[in-house]
């Protein structure tokens, strides 16, 4: 299918598709007239990319997931390289959470010191927003892939 129809079905702009192609994440075939031609299987790649981006991954982070799907796996998260990227992203999120908790404690302490010993009350906390939306199934990771006997987690021999 041509880029306009494909973009509409994928829920992205033609510009985004051209960018994904430029980054090597999509490989559109070309018709004799030079028009891009996408296959039905390319839709799954774009859905994977968009799902990962929505979950906070960078475009570069999506590459192992896309490569995993291209290799014929049912899930982009089924390959060790994808698991490595996901673990790295989780570590970054954990670091961000720690930083936010430290900032909160600092501001809470400042409030307690400057407000004559008052402490933050529940009313001082922001109103909770809507419950976070569950991540689409494409980014739910399988159980960690066990290392083969005699190999470290990254696949290198011990």
């Amino acid at each position: 299918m041509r880029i306009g129809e494909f973009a509409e079905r994928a829920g992205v702009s033609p510009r985004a598709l051209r960018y994904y192609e430029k980054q090597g994440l999509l490989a559109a075939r070309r018709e004799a007239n030079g028009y891009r031609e996408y296959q039905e299987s390319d839709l799954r790649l774009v859905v994977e990319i968009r799902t990962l981006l929505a979950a906070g991954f960078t475009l570069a982070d999506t590459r192992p997931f896309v490569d995993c799907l291209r290799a014929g796996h049912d899930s982009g998260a089924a390959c060790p390289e994808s698991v490595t990227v996901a673990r790295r992203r989780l570590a970054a999120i954990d670091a961000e959470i720690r930083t936010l908790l430290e900032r909160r404690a600092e501001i809470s302490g400042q409030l307690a010191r400057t407000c004559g010993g008052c402490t933050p009350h529940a009313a001082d906390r922001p109103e909770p927003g809507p419950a976070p939306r569950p991540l689409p199934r494409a980014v739910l990771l399988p159980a960690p892939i066990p290392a083969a006997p005699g190999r470290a987690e990254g696949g290198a021999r011990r």
Side-chain angles (χ1 to χ4, degrees):
M1 72 192 88
R2 290 200 179 147
I3 194 167
E5 178 187 352
F6 185 73
E8 188 174 320
R9 287 194 56 206
V12 299
S13 68
R15 183 177 179 190
L17 294 174
R18 287 189 290 271
Y19 185 70
Y20 298 160
E21 186 178 342
K22 184 178 179 182
Q23 298 302 309
L25 296 169
L26 281 179
R29 275 69 53 208
R30 296 291 183 146
E31 294 179 352
N33 60 8
Y35 289 173
R36 287 174 171 84
E37 181 70 21
Y38 293 94
Q39 304 299 313
E40 191 69 30
S41 60
D42 293 328
L43 189 57
R44 186 164 183 213
L45 300 179
V46 174
V47 167
E48 184 84 0
I49 292 166
R50 299 302 294 180
T51 301
L52 291 165
L53 291 174
F57 287 84
T58 66
L59 193 59
D61 287 340
T62 67
R63 185 171 309 282
F65 293 86
V66 169
D67 291 345
C68 192
L69 286 174
R70 279 191 184 132
H73 295 276
D74 290 336
S75 167
C79 296
E81 296 83 3
S82 303
V83 172
T84 298
V85 169
R87 286 181 176 156
R88 186 172 53 237
R89 184 67 190 122
L90 280 175
I93 290 169
D94 288 342
E96 290 173 24
I97 290 170
R98 280 191 299 277
T99 299
L100 289 172
L101 288 172
E102 289 168 3
R103 287 180 186 165
R104 187 186 189 292
E106 183 178 326
I107 292 170
S108 178
Q110 287 175 354
L111 179 61
R113 288 187 300 277
T114 60
C115 186
C118 66
T119 58
H121 300 290
D124 297 330
R125 294 189 180 134
E127 289 294 319
R133 190 177 63 138
L135 293 177
R137 187 159 179 78
V139 296
L140 297 178
L141 300 174
I145 299 170
R151 292 190 180 264
E153 188 173 316
R157 293 218 177 261
R158 292 184 199 186

